[in-house]
mmCIF file of all heavy atoms in Angstrom:
data_model
loop_
_atom_site.group_PDB
_atom_site.id
_atom_site.type_symbol
_atom_site.label_atom_id
_atom_site.label_comp_id
_atom_site.label_asym_id
_atom_site.label_seq_id
_atom_site.Cartn_x
_atom_site.Cartn_y
_atom_site.Cartn_z
ATOM 1 N N MET X 220 79.878 107.768 116.439
ATOM 2 C CA MET X 220 80.986 108.521 115.855
ATOM 3 C C MET X 220 82.321 108.161 116.351
ATOM 4 O O MET X 220 83.261 108.020 115.685
ATOM 5 C CB MET X 220 80.653 110.021 115.979
ATOM 6 C CG MET X 220 81.673 110.917 115.417
ATOM 7 S SD MET X 220 81.482 110.989 113.632
ATOM 8 C CE MET X 220 82.711 112.165 113.255
ATOM 9 N N THR X 221 82.444 108.024 117.676
ATOM 10 C CA THR X 221 83.699 107.716 118.271
ATOM 11 C C THR X 221 84.203 106.313 117.919
ATOM 12 O O THR X 221 85.445 106.162 117.776
ATOM 13 C CB THR X 221 83.666 107.816 119.854
ATOM 14 O OG1 THR X 221 82.659 106.979 120.320
ATOM 15 C CG2 THR X 221 83.425 109.295 120.259
ATOM 16 N N SER X 222 83.308 105.392 117.751
ATOM 17 C CA SER X 222 83.731 104.061 117.347
ATOM 18 C C SER X 222 84.333 104.078 116.005
ATOM 19 O O SER X 222 85.257 103.344 115.666
ATOM 20 C CB SER X 222 82.587 103.043 117.434
ATOM 21 O OG SER X 222 81.583 103.343 116.454
ATOM 22 N N THR X 223 83.784 104.936 115.067
ATOM 23 C CA THR X 223 84.356 105.031 113.690
ATOM 24 C C THR X 223 85.703 105.653 113.748
ATOM 25 O O THR X 223 86.647 105.257 113.062
ATOM 26 C CB THR X 223 83.428 105.889 112.826
ATOM 27 O OG1 THR X 223 82.083 105.330 112.863
ATOM 28 C CG2 THR X 223 83.894 105.950 111.402
ATOM 29 N N LEU X 224 85.921 106.689 114.596
ATOM 30 C CA LEU X 224 87.221 107.299 114.737
ATOM 31 C C LEU X 224 88.241 106.301 115.279
ATOM 32 O O LEU X 224 89.366 106.228 114.844
ATOM 33 C CB LEU X 224 87.143 108.532 115.599
ATOM 34 C CG LEU X 224 86.478 109.757 114.972
ATOM 35 C CD1 LEU X 224 86.373 110.873 115.958
ATOM 36 C CD2 LEU X 224 87.237 110.215 113.763
ATOM 37 N N TYR X 225 87.780 105.543 116.302
ATOM 38 C CA TYR X 225 88.699 104.583 116.881
ATOM 39 C C TYR X 225 89.117 103.536 115.851
ATOM 40 O O TYR X 225 90.282 103.196 115.743
ATOM 41 C CB TYR X 225 87.999 103.926 118.082
ATOM 42 C CG TYR X 225 88.841 102.841 118.748
ATOM 43 C CD1 TYR X 225 89.995 103.167 119.424
ATOM 44 C CD2 TYR X 225 88.472 101.534 118.602
ATOM 45 C CE1 TYR X 225 90.749 102.175 119.982
ATOM 46 C CE2 TYR X 225 89.256 100.549 119.172
ATOM 47 C CZ TYR X 225 90.386 100.836 119.848
ATOM 48 O OH TYR X 225 91.134 99.823 120.428
ATOM 49 N N ARG X 226 88.134 103.065 115.104
ATOM 50 C CA ARG X 226 88.455 102.046 114.081
ATOM 51 C C ARG X 226 89.382 102.651 113.058
ATOM 52 O O ARG X 226 90.347 102.020 112.572
ATOM 53 C CB ARG X 226 87.187 101.607 113.413
ATOM 54 C CG ARG X 226 87.395 100.387 112.518
ATOM 55 C CD ARG X 226 86.107 99.793 111.931
ATOM 56 N NE ARG X 226 84.918 100.154 112.747
ATOM 57 C CZ ARG X 226 83.700 100.222 112.293
ATOM 58 N NH1 ARG X 226 83.471 99.955 111.021
ATOM 59 N NH2 ARG X 226 82.686 100.544 113.069
ATOM 60 N N SER X 227 89.168 103.929 112.645
ATOM 61 C CA SER X 227 90.009 104.583 111.677
ATOM 62 C C SER X 227 91.428 104.675 112.222
ATOM 63 O O SER X 227 92.400 104.448 111.472
ATOM 64 C CB SER X 227 89.448 105.953 111.364
ATOM 65 O OG SER X 227 90.386 106.705 110.703
ATOM 66 N N ASP X 228 91.616 105.047 113.465
ATOM 67 C CA ASP X 228 92.915 105.136 114.045
ATOM 68 C C ASP X 228 93.620 103.813 114.083
ATOM 69 O O ASP X 228 94.800 103.688 113.861
ATOM 70 C CB ASP X 228 92.799 105.720 115.479
ATOM 71 C CG ASP X 228 92.437 107.203 115.516
ATOM 72 O OD1 ASP X 228 92.569 107.824 114.447
ATOM 73 O OD2 ASP X 228 91.998 107.649 116.574
ATOM 74 N N ARG X 229 92.872 102.756 114.414
ATOM 75 C CA ARG X 229 93.439 101.419 114.414
ATOM 76 C C ARG X 229 93.932 101.008 113.013
ATOM 77 O O ARG X 229 94.990 100.433 112.856
ATOM 78 C CB ARG X 229 92.418 100.379 114.883
ATOM 79 C CG ARG X 229 92.167 100.376 116.375
ATOM 80 C CD ARG X 229 91.363 99.238 116.878
ATOM 81 N NE ARG X 229 90.871 98.379 115.846
ATOM 82 C CZ ARG X 229 89.671 97.803 115.882
ATOM 83 N NH1 ARG X 229 88.881 97.933 116.975
ATOM 84 N NH2 ARG X 229 89.231 97.014 114.962
ATOM 85 N N PHE X 230 93.126 101.366 112.000
ATOM 86 C CA PHE X 230 93.554 101.024 110.582
ATOM 87 C C PHE X 230 94.756 101.809 110.160
ATOM 88 O O PHE X 230 95.648 101.297 109.506
ATOM 89 C CB PHE X 230 92.407 101.240 109.583
ATOM 90 C CG PHE X 230 91.314 100.200 109.739
ATOM 91 C CD1 PHE X 230 89.983 100.565 109.687
ATOM 92 C CD2 PHE X 230 91.609 98.868 109.849
ATOM 93 C CE1 PHE X 230 88.957 99.671 109.763
ATOM 94 C CE2 PHE X 230 90.622 97.901 109.973
ATOM 95 C CZ PHE X 230 89.266 98.279 109.909
ATOM 96 N N LEU X 231 94.815 103.070 110.591
ATOM 97 C CA LEU X 231 96.060 103.855 110.273
ATOM 98 C C LEU X 231 97.247 103.256 111.010
ATOM 99 O O LEU X 231 98.332 103.160 110.373
ATOM 100 C CB LEU X 231 95.829 105.344 110.724
ATOM 101 C CG LEU X 231 94.985 106.149 109.747
ATOM 102 C CD1 LEU X 231 94.758 107.512 110.374
ATOM 103 C CD2 LEU X 231 95.722 106.334 108.429
ATOM 104 N N ALA X 232 97.138 102.880 112.213
ATOM 105 C CA ALA X 232 98.227 102.249 112.936
ATOM 106 C C ALA X 232 98.656 100.965 112.311
ATOM 107 O O ALA X 232 99.869 100.702 112.139
ATOM 108 C CB ALA X 232 97.849 102.033 114.440
ATOM 109 N N LEU X 233 97.715 100.199 111.934
ATOM 110 C CA LEU X 233 97.990 98.944 111.235
ATOM 111 C C LEU X 233 98.672 99.178 109.917
ATOM 112 O O LEU X 233 99.638 98.513 109.564
ATOM 113 C CB LEU X 233 96.703 98.114 111.014
ATOM 114 C CG LEU X 233 96.849 96.839 110.291
ATOM 115 C CD1 LEU X 233 97.715 95.858 111.061
ATOM 116 C CD2 LEU X 233 95.456 96.210 110.016
ATOM 117 N N SER X 234 98.192 100.209 109.164
ATOM 118 C CA SER X 234 98.856 100.527 107.866
ATOM 119 C C SER X 234 100.285 100.965 108.090
ATOM 120 O O SER X 234 101.164 100.472 107.337
ATOM 121 C CB SER X 234 98.105 101.659 107.215
ATOM 122 O OG SER X 234 96.764 101.293 106.950
ATOM 123 N N ARG X 235 100.500 101.785 109.096
ATOM 124 C CA ARG X 235 101.937 102.199 109.373
ATOM 125 C C ARG X 235 102.760 100.964 109.673
ATOM 126 O O ARG X 235 103.911 100.819 109.210
ATOM 127 C CB ARG X 235 101.961 103.223 110.496
ATOM 128 C CG ARG X 235 101.502 104.621 110.064
ATOM 129 C CD ARG X 235 101.825 105.655 111.070
ATOM 130 N NE ARG X 235 101.496 105.382 112.444
ATOM 131 C CZ ARG X 235 100.317 105.692 112.961
ATOM 132 N NH1 ARG X 235 99.433 106.333 112.254
ATOM 133 N NH2 ARG X 235 100.071 105.408 114.205
ATOM 134 N N THR X 236 102.240 100.107 110.529
ATOM 135 C CA THR X 236 102.994 98.914 110.974
ATOM 136 C C THR X 236 103.333 98.085 109.821
ATOM 137 O O THR X 236 104.460 97.561 109.639
ATOM 138 C CB THR X 236 102.228 98.163 112.052
ATOM 139 O OG1 THR X 236 102.002 99.048 113.151
ATOM 140 C CG2 THR X 236 103.013 96.994 112.544
ATOM 141 N N VAL X 237 102.304 97.801 108.951
ATOM 142 C CA VAL X 237 102.511 96.879 107.846
ATOM 143 C C VAL X 237 103.529 97.523 106.844
ATOM 144 O O VAL X 237 104.388 96.835 106.395
ATOM 145 C CB VAL X 237 101.215 96.631 107.153
ATOM 146 C CG1 VAL X 237 101.352 95.961 105.766
ATOM 147 C CG2 VAL X 237 100.316 95.719 108.052
ATOM 148 N N LEU X 238 103.455 98.800 106.582
ATOM 149 C CA LEU X 238 104.379 99.447 105.644
ATOM 150 C C LEU X 238 105.783 99.396 106.206
ATOM 151 O O LEU X 238 106.716 99.176 105.420
ATOM 152 C CB LEU X 238 103.884 100.857 105.320
ATOM 153 C CG LEU X 238 102.736 100.982 104.333
ATOM 154 C CD1 LEU X 238 102.129 102.370 104.323
ATOM 155 C CD2 LEU X 238 103.192 100.546 102.981
ATOM 156 N N ARG X 239 106.001 99.673 107.488
ATOM 157 C CA ARG X 239 107.322 99.607 108.044
ATOM 158 C C ARG X 239 107.831 98.213 107.969
ATOM 159 O O ARG X 239 109.054 98.005 107.702
ATOM 160 C CB ARG X 239 107.264 100.057 109.567
ATOM 161 C CG ARG X 239 107.081 101.537 109.643
ATOM 162 C CD ARG X 239 107.084 101.993 111.111
ATOM 163 N NE ARG X 239 106.903 103.416 111.221
ATOM 164 C CZ ARG X 239 105.960 103.979 111.995
ATOM 165 N NH1 ARG X 239 105.246 103.247 112.760
ATOM 166 N NH2 ARG X 239 105.807 105.263 111.988
ATOM 167 N N LEU X 240 107.017 97.203 108.194
ATOM 168 C CA LEU X 240 107.445 95.788 108.064
ATOM 169 C C LEU X 240 107.852 95.470 106.651
ATOM 170 O O LEU X 240 108.881 94.848 106.376
ATOM 171 C CB LEU X 240 106.342 94.873 108.540
ATOM 172 C CG LEU X 240 106.609 93.369 108.418
ATOM 173 C CD1 LEU X 240 107.710 92.981 109.328
ATOM 174 C CD2 LEU X 240 105.338 92.555 108.739
ATOM 175 N N LEU X 241 107.002 95.935 105.720
ATOM 176 C CA LEU X 241 107.321 95.720 104.232
ATOM 177 C C LEU X 241 108.590 96.408 103.841
ATOM 178 O O LEU X 241 109.352 95.856 103.026
ATOM 179 C CB LEU X 241 106.162 96.184 103.380
ATOM 180 C CG LEU X 241 104.896 95.314 103.438
ATOM 181 C CD1 LEU X 241 103.757 95.983 102.675
ATOM 182 C CD2 LEU X 241 105.196 93.933 102.896
ATOM 183 N N ILE X 242 108.898 97.564 104.361
ATOM 184 C CA ILE X 242 110.151 98.227 104.032
ATOM 185 C C ILE X 242 111.308 97.423 104.543
ATOM 186 O O ILE X 242 112.306 97.226 103.786
ATOM 187 C CB ILE X 242 110.122 99.666 104.677
ATOM 188 C CG1 ILE X 242 109.169 100.554 103.855
ATOM 189 C CG2 ILE X 242 111.598 100.221 104.630
ATOM 190 C CD1 ILE X 242 108.910 101.907 104.518
ATOM 191 N N LYS X 243 111.253 96.954 105.711
ATOM 192 C CA LYS X 243 112.346 96.059 106.281
ATOM 193 C C LYS X 243 112.461 94.803 105.569
ATOM 194 O O LYS X 243 113.585 94.277 105.238
ATOM 195 C CB LYS X 243 112.116 95.845 107.767
ATOM 196 C CG LYS X 243 112.277 97.037 108.596
ATOM 197 C CD LYS X 243 111.979 96.757 110.116
ATOM 198 C CE LYS X 243 112.056 98.063 110.879
ATOM 199 N NZ LYS X 243 111.674 97.890 112.295
ATOM 200 N N LEU X 244 111.320 94.166 105.231
ATOM 201 C CA LEU X 244 111.334 92.929 104.482
ATOM 202 C C LEU X 244 111.918 93.089 103.044
ATOM 203 O O LEU X 244 112.730 92.243 102.613
ATOM 204 C CB LEU X 244 109.953 92.347 104.408
ATOM 205 C CG LEU X 244 109.739 90.957 103.802
ATOM 206 C CD1 LEU X 244 110.495 89.905 104.587
ATOM 207 C CD2 LEU X 244 108.255 90.614 103.713
ATOM 208 N N ASN X 245 111.570 94.181 102.408
ATOM 209 C CA ASN X 245 112.093 94.438 101.094
ATOM 210 C C ASN X 245 113.584 94.626 101.118
ATOM 211 O O ASN X 245 114.318 94.106 100.287
ATOM 212 C CB ASN X 245 111.426 95.674 100.518
ATOM 213 C CG ASN X 245 111.982 96.116 99.161
ATOM 214 O OD1 ASN X 245 111.936 95.325 98.233
ATOM 215 N ND2 ASN X 245 112.496 97.262 99.129
ATOM 216 N N ALA X 246 114.110 95.359 102.136
ATOM 217 C CA ALA X 246 115.567 95.544 102.230
ATOM 218 C C ALA X 246 116.231 94.217 102.506
ATOM 219 O O ALA X 246 117.310 93.905 101.909
ATOM 220 C CB ALA X 246 115.841 96.569 103.365
ATOM 221 N N THR X 247 115.677 93.399 103.358
ATOM 222 C CA THR X 247 116.264 92.115 103.630
ATOM 223 C C THR X 247 116.335 91.242 102.369
ATOM 224 O O THR X 247 117.338 90.592 102.092
ATOM 225 C CB THR X 247 115.449 91.379 104.750
ATOM 226 O OG1 THR X 247 115.425 92.244 105.890
ATOM 227 C CG2 THR X 247 116.064 90.031 105.088
ATOM 228 N N ILE X 248 115.218 91.216 101.698
ATOM 229 C CA ILE X 248 115.213 90.379 100.477
ATOM 230 C C ILE X 248 116.210 90.902 99.410
ATOM 231 O O ILE X 248 116.866 90.136 98.738
ATOM 232 C CB ILE X 248 113.751 90.331 99.875
ATOM 233 C CG1 ILE X 248 112.892 89.493 100.817
ATOM 234 C CG2 ILE X 248 113.735 89.728 98.487
ATOM 235 C CD1 ILE X 248 111.407 89.485 100.508
ATOM 236 N N GLY X 249 116.266 92.233 99.265
ATOM 237 C CA GLY X 249 117.247 92.792 98.332
ATOM 238 C C GLY X 249 118.687 92.449 98.664
ATOM 239 O O GLY X 249 119.503 92.052 97.850
ATOM 240 N N ILE X 250 118.980 92.432 99.990
ATOM 241 C CA ILE X 250 120.344 92.097 100.475
ATOM 242 C C ILE X 250 120.610 90.602 100.185
ATOM 243 O O ILE X 250 121.663 90.189 99.734
ATOM 244 C CB ILE X 250 120.521 92.476 101.921
ATOM 245 C CG1 ILE X 250 120.580 93.978 102.042
ATOM 246 C CG2 ILE X 250 121.743 91.802 102.519
ATOM 247 C CD1 ILE X 250 120.472 94.429 103.495
ATOM 248 N N LEU X 251 119.574 89.741 100.424
ATOM 249 C CA LEU X 251 119.738 88.318 100.203
ATOM 250 C C LEU X 251 119.923 87.998 98.721
ATOM 251 O O LEU X 251 120.738 87.164 98.379
ATOM 252 C CB LEU X 251 118.579 87.551 100.795
ATOM 253 C CG LEU X 251 118.485 87.534 102.329
ATOM 254 C CD1 LEU X 251 117.185 86.861 102.753
ATOM 255 C CD2 LEU X 251 119.715 86.853 102.884
ATOM 256 N N ILE X 252 119.158 88.698 97.864
ATOM 257 C CA ILE X 252 119.357 88.435 96.469
ATOM 258 C C ILE X 252 120.724 88.877 96.009
ATOM 259 O O ILE X 252 121.417 88.232 95.194
ATOM 260 C CB ILE X 252 118.211 89.163 95.624
ATOM 261 C CG1 ILE X 252 116.905 88.577 95.921
ATOM 262 C CG2 ILE X 252 118.540 89.096 94.098
ATOM 263 C CD1 ILE X 252 115.695 89.334 95.301
ATOM 264 N N LEU X 253 121.191 90.031 96.519
ATOM 265 C CA LEU X 253 122.577 90.502 96.208
ATOM 266 C C LEU X 253 123.578 89.483 96.689
ATOM 267 O O LEU X 253 124.532 89.167 95.972
ATOM 268 C CB LEU X 253 122.800 91.825 96.816
ATOM 269 C CG LEU X 253 124.246 92.423 96.619
ATOM 270 C CD1 LEU X 253 124.444 92.704 95.145
ATOM 271 C CD2 LEU X 253 124.335 93.724 97.380
ATOM 272 N N ALA X 254 123.419 88.911 97.837
ATOM 273 C CA ALA X 254 124.287 87.905 98.385
ATOM 274 C C ALA X 254 124.302 86.681 97.488
ATOM 275 O O ALA X 254 125.421 86.124 97.205
ATOM 276 C CB ALA X 254 123.946 87.562 99.819
ATOM 277 N N LEU X 255 123.191 86.278 97.019
ATOM 278 C CA LEU X 255 123.137 85.153 96.094
ATOM 279 C C LEU X 255 123.796 85.401 94.837
ATOM 280 O O LEU X 255 124.536 84.543 94.256
ATOM 281 C CB LEU X 255 121.611 84.743 95.867
ATOM 282 C CG LEU X 255 121.371 83.515 95.040
ATOM 283 C CD1 LEU X 255 122.088 82.267 95.699
ATOM 284 C CD2 LEU X 255 119.902 83.242 94.845
ATOM 285 N N LEU X 256 123.631 86.610 94.276
ATOM 286 C CA LEU X 256 124.255 86.990 93.043
ATOM 287 C C LEU X 256 125.815 86.958 93.230
ATOM 288 O O LEU X 256 126.525 86.435 92.371
ATOM 289 C CB LEU X 256 123.772 88.398 92.591
ATOM 290 C CG LEU X 256 124.500 88.972 91.356
ATOM 291 C CD1 LEU X 256 124.243 88.091 90.176
ATOM 292 C CD2 LEU X 256 123.998 90.398 91.067
ATOM 293 N N VAL X 257 126.264 87.518 94.313
ATOM 294 C CA VAL X 257 127.716 87.527 94.608
ATOM 295 C C VAL X 257 128.234 86.086 94.794
ATOM 296 O O VAL X 257 129.307 85.736 94.288
ATOM 297 C CB VAL X 257 128.052 88.402 95.805
ATOM 298 C CG1 VAL X 257 129.513 88.217 96.282
ATOM 299 C CG2 VAL X 257 127.772 89.884 95.520
ATOM 300 N N ALA X 258 127.446 85.262 95.456
ATOM 301 C CA ALA X 258 127.864 83.883 95.632
ATOM 302 C C ALA X 258 127.927 83.148 94.342
ATOM 303 O O ALA X 258 128.849 82.281 94.195
ATOM 304 C CB ALA X 258 126.866 83.161 96.576
ATOM 305 N N THR X 259 127.088 83.416 93.357
ATOM 306 C CA THR X 259 127.213 82.724 92.075
ATOM 307 C C THR X 259 128.417 83.182 91.328
ATOM 308 O O THR X 259 128.953 82.422 90.551
ATOM 309 C CB THR X 259 125.954 82.947 91.223
ATOM 310 O OG1 THR X 259 125.810 84.292 90.863
ATOM 311 C CG2 THR X 259 124.711 82.451 91.835
ATOM 312 N N LEU X 260 128.885 84.435 91.607
ATOM 313 C CA LEU X 260 130.080 84.915 90.934
ATOM 314 C C LEU X 260 131.354 84.348 91.566
ATOM 315 O O LEU X 260 132.333 84.034 90.920
ATOM 316 C CB LEU X 260 130.115 86.405 90.975
ATOM 317 C CG LEU X 260 128.951 87.112 90.153
ATOM 318 C CD1 LEU X 260 129.005 88.583 90.420
ATOM 319 C CD2 LEU X 260 129.119 86.817 88.694
ATOM 320 N N VAL X 261 131.333 84.185 92.917
ATOM 321 C CA VAL X 261 132.514 83.713 93.661
ATOM 322 C C VAL X 261 132.632 82.202 93.628
ATOM 323 O O VAL X 261 133.681 81.676 93.388
ATOM 324 C CB VAL X 261 132.468 84.293 95.161
ATOM 325 C CG1 VAL X 261 133.574 83.731 95.950
ATOM 326 C CG2 VAL X 261 132.483 85.783 95.084
ATOM 327 N N ALA X 262 131.502 81.546 93.900
ATOM 328 C CA ALA X 262 131.561 80.086 94.017
ATOM 329 C C ALA X 262 130.484 79.461 93.146
ATOM 330 O O ALA X 262 129.585 78.757 93.569
ATOM 331 C CB ALA X 262 131.395 79.642 95.480
ATOM 332 N N GLY X 263 130.513 79.788 91.859
ATOM 333 C CA GLY X 263 129.499 79.442 90.891
ATOM 334 C C GLY X 263 129.031 77.989 90.939
ATOM 335 O O GLY X 263 127.896 77.725 91.153
ATOM 336 N N PRO X 264 129.939 77.028 90.682
ATOM 337 C CA PRO X 264 129.540 75.632 90.627
ATOM 338 C C PRO X 264 128.912 75.125 91.902
ATOM 339 O O PRO X 264 127.886 74.402 91.911
ATOM 340 C CB PRO X 264 130.820 74.873 90.278
ATOM 341 C CG PRO X 264 131.699 75.879 89.683
ATOM 342 C CD PRO X 264 131.353 77.215 90.308
ATOM 343 N N PHE X 265 129.439 75.531 93.063
ATOM 344 C CA PHE X 265 128.970 75.034 94.337
ATOM 345 C C PHE X 265 127.525 75.628 94.561
ATOM 346 O O PHE X 265 126.636 74.856 94.972
ATOM 347 C CB PHE X 265 129.890 75.498 95.479
ATOM 348 C CG PHE X 265 129.326 75.138 96.775
ATOM 349 C CD1 PHE X 265 129.312 73.872 97.287
ATOM 350 C CD2 PHE X 265 128.812 76.201 97.651
ATOM 351 C CE1 PHE X 265 128.759 73.560 98.531
ATOM 352 C CE2 PHE X 265 128.279 75.896 98.877
ATOM 353 C CZ PHE X 265 128.268 74.641 99.320
ATOM 354 N N VAL X 266 127.340 76.861 94.268
ATOM 355 C CA VAL X 266 126.079 77.507 94.458
ATOM 356 C C VAL X 266 125.026 76.926 93.500
ATOM 357 O O VAL X 266 123.864 76.636 93.900
ATOM 358 C CB VAL X 266 126.096 79.010 94.306
ATOM 359 C CG1 VAL X 266 124.755 79.668 94.299
ATOM 360 C CG2 VAL X 266 127.025 79.629 95.401
#
């Protein structure tokens, strides 16, 4: 029983870590896409 609880706690911790990472990655990608959009408006031919 305790090994199941321990495994469950590990999976919850992993889930929290992965979701926090995905939140940060999503924000980074959103900012980079916005920067690319602005770059095409400011320096279209070069970009």
Side-chain angles (χ1 to χ4, degrees):
M220 178 77 177
T221 57
S222 67
T223 304
L224 288 176
Y225 176 70
R226 190 176 337 155
S227 166
D228 290 343
R229 283 191 354 216
F230 287 137
L231 281 173
L233 178 63
S234 298
R235 284 194 309 270
T236 303
V237 168
L238 284 167
R239 287 183 183 128
L240 177 66
L241 288 172
I242 288 170
K243 291 176 184 175
L244 185 62
N245 177 60
T247 302
I248 290 172
I250 291 168
L251 290 174
I252 293 172
L253 178 62
L255 183 60
L256 176 61
V257 170
T259 64
L260 296 171
V261 173
F265 174 74
V266 173

